[in-house]
Amino acid sequence: MEASWDTSGYTLDEHGDGPLALFCEAAGWRSLSMTPQRDPYDRAGLPYEPYDITVAGAGLQLFTLVTPDDSTFIRAAPDTLLLAAGTSLPGH
């Protein structure tokens, strides 16, 4: 069964829907250093060059989302997840 999943388990159906895996757990840290590839302030019309930032807060959650390798599906899955969580990605 696992071998079958590896070869065809990440295939989208004729409607563009497919499987996904979602893992969620409390983050084991209160801050995280990163370099966002999009402007975290969502400023339209201004140039953006990535820079290092630190995200900090209490009660942070870590989400891991595994999707098939299809650009449309990959974009829709996190947007749907964040919408359900009451938030959104910058620029959306």
Side-chain angles (χ1 to χ4, degrees), residues 9-42:
Y10 296 97
T11 305
L12 301 179
D13 66 15
E14 64 275 4
H15 304 290
D17 295 326
L20 59 84
L22 174 63
F23 305 93
C24 176
E25 62 184 273
W29 31 261
R30 292 188 177 256
S31 66
L32 174 67
S33 296
M34 64 175 46
T35 306
Q37 299 304 304
R38 293 157 76 177
D39 186 351
Y41 295 103
D42 199 20

Side-chain angles (χ1 to χ4, degrees), residues 2 8 15 23-24 27-28 34 37 40 42-43 47-48 54 58 60-61 70-71 77 85 89-90:
E2 187 174 328
S8 62
H15 304 290
F23 305 93
C24 176
M34 64 175 46
Q37 299 304 304
D42 199 20
R43 297 181 190 129
Y48 175 71
T54 299
L60 297 174
Q61 296 291 314
D70 173 88
S71 60
L89 290 170

